[in-house]
Structures are given as structure tokens and as C-alpha cells.
Amino acid sequence: MPEQRAAITGLGTYVPEKILTNAELEKMVDTSDEWITTRTGIRERRIAAPGEATSDLAREAARRALADAGVEAREIDLIIVATNTPDMLFPATACLLQESLGAERAGAFDLLAGCTGFIYALVTGGQFIAAGGAQTVLAVGAETLSRIVNWRDRNTCVLFGDGAGAAVLRAAPAGYGLLASRLGAHGAGGPLLCLPAGGSRRPACRETVEQDLHFVHMNGREVFKFAVKTMEEGTRGVMEDAGLSVADIDFLIPHQANIRIIDAAVKRLGLAPERVLVNVDRYGNTSTASIPLALQEARQAGRIKDGDNVVLVGFGAGLTWAAAAVRWFDARRPE
Amino acid sequence: MSVFDKVKSIIVEQLGVEEADVNMEASFIEDLGADSLDIVELVMALEEEFDLVIPDEDAEKIRTVGEAVKYIQDHQ
Ligand SMILES: CC(C)(COP(=O)(O)OP(=O)(O)OC[C@H]1O[C@@H](n2cnc3c(N)ncnc32)[C@H](O)[C@@H]1OP(=O)(O)O)[C@@H](O)C(=O)NCCC(=O)NCCS
């Protein structure tokens, strides 16, 4: 019997209401709309309301995904939340979500793989379905990055935004679902993108606060190079595993960090820009939420159709990267 | 092909400039219209073409076509 593939049978997204524009950022740090748009393609990003935490964004996205899939919370076997900004160090945000959804039967854990986390969660959930360990998995990417960026550091604060996306995974009908995936890591690059303090290496204390060590620290240029290379290699890798050529790729959903990274990778792949979704202009880099936000937008715009070959690809802190090739299953297609 | 000719063709491809504008004295930013991220991409293309690793500290010092050519010649 061939391995049982998993398909996304429902998707849901949620972004906070508050929009922060480049013009507003100009009043906060020494930057300009012109610099931000030419170097990143970002025009605005969403910011969580005071008191709104990652699990709150996750809950809204998850409810919408369940409704979209026609699945009750009680039917969920496993919840995986990919996040870099959990509500707290523990318990896991996935457990907070289990409680607020009323997903009584579900096991729940968080997954930390930088901005690549959603693809890692999708692949992990897919493995549970393939192995028969779960029938219904909820894979979530949710972030409140606005809480961990240094709003005095123009090198990083202009880049990030808040948001959440959730996917319901179930066994795919024959011919559909997750065709191939590759997960990668380059631990040597860890210091290039990190939040240095607040863990066991440097517990929180007065000095760590004074030295701004509870904020995101990043070497943008090195991350840029890693991103362009791994987006190309990851995409080519899953294409090879799934037996797809560039011409077979109907749509590419890249992690939305920077339009310049997307453009460089897409050019190297030789893919037509019409086959690539870009929404970084409106949300900035929402880390683990970026892939589901982009996927949902492509689907709602009718740009992804039943049977399409879709590649998801991303990179992030770790450093990590991942890619997945999916034959898109539209649960609502006419029979 | 000389190192200069290879570098020139990469610059023309990456920056979308005319071959005639690419001379040893040309500055990437001032003369060839590149911004900081164009230079990052250019450095990546040079690393791949010449099978080199150009660390960030070195890349920062490469501001002209001539400096790029010299760096490659010295490190090959
Ligand atoms: C962050 C990034 C846009 C910076 O672009 P860059 O060209 O590498 O920029 P640099 O850091 O070299 O800075 C170039 C200049 O712009 C300045 N600058 C940086 N941020 C700025 C801002 N927001 N506004 C205005 N100027 C800014 C720098 O201070 C520097 O000035 P200097 O030359 O006078 O010192 C880019 O490196 C990038 O996107 N990297 C990937 C980051 C990423 O995606 N991280 C998340 C991964 S999940």
C-alpha cells in the first residue's frame, strides 16, 4: 500500500486590526519609506493590540481553519504550534490553544524552527497522518513579533509584523497532498539571527535588560545570502523528489521576509513572477504565519486550483530552511 | 576569459547595466546604480562563479569593479 499522504483540508488566518505604516515608522526611528520599500518591499505591517498574545491570534486563525474544513475541535488528534513568540516559555502555546478551542482529545506541543516553523509543522503533522498516529492535525503558525523587536533598532524593527495562520491536515484523496519535503538546518548560523537572553544560557537579569538582549539580534546580510541560496536549493530539492520540473510548478509560496530575497530566488529558479505570491508589502515578515497567510491569499484569489502543484519554501532563525511540494486539494471543488 | 571579463558579464547580468559602463574604476553604488542588497547579490554571484567564500568584512571593502577583480585574483 502506498504511504497515506496528508492534505490541507481547511485554512484560516487572522491578523490584528492595527496597521503600522512606514510613514509612522519614520517618526519612531531614523528611516524612510523610500529605504524600507526599496530594500524590503514592505509598506505596512500589523501590530497586536495591548494584551493580545500569540495564542489569541492562533485561536482566531484556528477557529476559521476548523470552520473551513468543517471539522469540530473535538475531532483534533494533535495540535502543533510553530512560533518564536510563545505566550510564555512554558506551558506550550499549543496547550493554551487546546484549552481555548476545547480540543479535549488533542495532544499538543510547540515547535521551534524560526520562520521556517510552519513548514516544519506541516511536514511533522503529515508524518503523523502517514504513519497512522493521527487522523486530524491542526498545524498553526502564529506570532506577535512586535513584542520582541527593539523599536529603537531601525535595522530590525521595520521588517516584522504580527499574524497567524492555521491548517487542518487530514488524509488526502489519491493523487493529492504532500508529495515531497525537505527540512534543513545550519546551526553554525545560529548567532546570525537570535534572541540572546531569557533562556538557560543567559537568564533574565538587570544587565540583560539594560543591554537589550531580550530583543531580536540579526546580521541581515548573512541571513539574506542564506535565504536566497536555500530557497533555490530547497525548491529544486523537492521538485526533484516529486519528479517535477520548473514548468510543472503551478505556484510558489515563499516565506515573506523581503521582496528582494523572493525576487533573487525566483530569478535563479527561472520561475515566472505571476506564479509567485507576494504579500510582504502588507504584512512584513510575520515569521511562522507568513506561509499560511500567503497560501490563503493565493487560494482566495483563485490563483491556486484543485490539482495544482504548489511549492512552499522558507528559511529562518536556526538557521533553518524547508520546502514542501504539495498537489493542492480543494475540499470545496464541485464533484 | 579573463577575470575582468567574467566579472563584467556577471555585473551586466546582475545590475542590468551596459557593458560599456563597466570599467575598472566604476563604483558599484555611484556609477552603476547598485544599492547595498544588489552588492550582496553580486558578491553571491562572484562567490559561485569563482568558487570563493567572501566574508562580510571583505565584501564591505569591495566598492569598485577593480577592487572586485583584484580581490578575486588575490584569493584564487
Ligand atoms: C535587513 C536588510 C533589509 C538590510 O539590508 P542591507 O542592504 O543588508 O543593509 P545594511 O545592513 O548593509 O545597511 C545599509 C545601510 O542602511 C542603513 N539602514 C539599515 N536599516 C535601515 C532603515 N530601516 N532605514 C534606513 N536606513 C537603514 C544601515 O545603517 C546602513 O547604513 P550605512 O551604510 O550608513 O552604515 C537585509 O539585509 C535583509 O533583508 N536581510 C535578511 C533579513 C531577514 O529576512 N531576516 C529574517 C529571516 S526569517
Side-chain angles (χ1 to χ4, degrees):
Chain A
M1 216 182 90
E3 188 174 282
Q4 178 59 62
R5 289 177 183 149
I8 295 175
T9 65
L11 263 179
T13 57
Y14 174 77
V15 291
E17 254 169 62
K18 185 182 160 39
I19 293 174
L20 180 68
T21 63
N22 290 351
E24 288 167 285
L25 275 167
E26 286 178 355
K27 296 184 201 126
M28 299 163 63
V29 286
D30 179 17
T31 190
S32 65
D33 175 48
E34 196 266 336
W35 193 95
I36 301 172
T37 46
T38 55
R39 294 315 205 292
T40 73
I42 301 166
R43 295 183 181 280
E44 58 186 48
R45 65 290 288 145
R46 298 299 178 110
I47 304 293
E52 199 175 25
T54 295
S55 68
D56 299 322
L57 309 191
R59 183 181 61 247
E60 286 311 307
R63 281 192 181 144
R64 292 172 189 185
L66 291 172
D68 186 41
V71 164
E72 299 286 333
R74 265 173 280 117
E75 295 177 76
I76 304 170
D77 298 307
L78 180 66
I79 299 175
I80 308 174
V81 175
T83 185
N84 300 276
T85 49
D87 286 25
M88 50 195 126
L89 267 178
F90 68 86
T93 301
C95 292
L96 304 173
L97 182 61
Q98 185 228 9
E99 157 66 11
S100 64
L101 290 175
E104 298 137 18
R105 291 182 46 251
F109 65 86
D110 283 3
L111 186 158
L112 184 59
C115 297
T116 324
F118 183 79
I119 303 178
Y120 266 70
L122 189 71
V123 172
T124 305
Q127 295 292 320
F128 274 89
I129 287 169
Q135 267 88 59
T136 306
V137 177
L138 181 68
V140 181
E143 303 284 0
T144 44
L145 293 159
S146 61
R147 302 281 154 72
I148 60 161
V149 300
N150 183 349
W151 291 102
R152 295 183 306 274
D153 176 14
R154 69 175 184 177
N155 290 292
T156 51
C157 76
V158 303
L159 302 174
F160 299 101
D162 300 339
V168 175
L169 311 181
R170 281 192 157 170
Y176 289 98
L178 193 58
L179 304 175
S181 61
R182 289 196 184 190
L183 308 181
H186 176 62
L192 299 175
L193 180 52
C194 64
L195 194 152
S200 61
R201 180 71 63 194
R202 300 207 66 178
C205 64
R206 187 191 298 268
E207 285 80 54
T208 61
V209 172
E210 283 167 0
Q211 292 165 17
D212 286 341
L213 298 180
H214 295 276
F215 293 126
V216 173
H217 288 244
M218 182 178 79
N219 176 331
R221 252 176 287 177
E222 291 291 333
V223 174
F224 187 98
K225 287 166 80 172
F226 175 83
V228 173
K229 273 188 202 149
T230 55
M231 292 247 281
E232 183 193 4
E233 287 167 12
T235 303
R236 288 197 193 284
V238 292
M239 281 165 51
E240 188 188 324
D241 295 348
L244 302 172
S245 68
V246 173
D248 297 325
I249 305 293
D250 296 299
F251 218 78
L252 182 79
I253 305 279
H255 171 45
Q256 309 282 317
N258 183 330
I259 187 68
R260 302 284 295 266
I261 293 173
I262 297 174
D263 285 348
V266 166
K267 187 171 159 206
R268 282 161 169 253
L269 284 164
L271 209 61
E274 310 85 73
R275 289 191 279 156
V276 181
L277 192 113
V278 174
N279 65 8
V280 69
D281 50 323
R282 277 160 291 135
Y283 302 115
N285 180 349
T286 58
S287 191
T288 60
S290 108
I291 297 263
L293 279 171
L295 193 56
Q296 179 73 315
E297 188 164 323
R299 178 179 171 240
Q300 288 179 337
R303 296 175 75 182
I304 296 181
K305 292 174 293 301
D306 189 69
D308 278 356
N309 293 314
V310 180
V311 172
L312 317 177
V313 63
F315 54 89
L319 300 173
T320 57
W321 63 267
V326 173
R327 182 146 309 125
W328 188 252
F329 170 62
D330 184 352
R332 298 165 307 173
R333 77 193 195 285
E335 287 299 327
Chain B
M1 240 205 282
S2 71
V3 170
F4 172 71
D5 287 330
K6 281 190 192 165
V7 169
K8 178 155 83 177
S9 77
I10 289 173
I11 292 170
V12 166
E13 153 82 14
Q14 285 288 332
L15 301 181
V17 292
E18 297 297 327
E19 264 189 48
D21 295 332
V22 185
N23 55 60
M24 291 290 268
E25 283 72 45
S27 149
F28 295 118
I29 292 178
E30 268 98 64
D31 303 318
L32 301 175
D35 73 9
S36 47
L37 290 177
D38 291 319
I39 296 181
V40 176
E41 274 191 70
L42 187 64
V43 166
M44 286 180 73
L46 295 173
E47 287 179 325
E48 283 158 20
E49 172 69 30
F50 296 100
D51 199 16
L52 284 173
V53 176
I54 308 178
D56 218 21
E57 314 86 79
D58 291 355
E60 274 179 29
K61 292 181 208 122
I62 301 176
R63 277 169 304 232
T64 65
V65 177
E67 283 165 4
V69 170
K70 178 159 186 336
Y71 185 90
I72 291 159
Q73 283 166 343
D74 290 350
H75 290 80
Q76 263 194 326

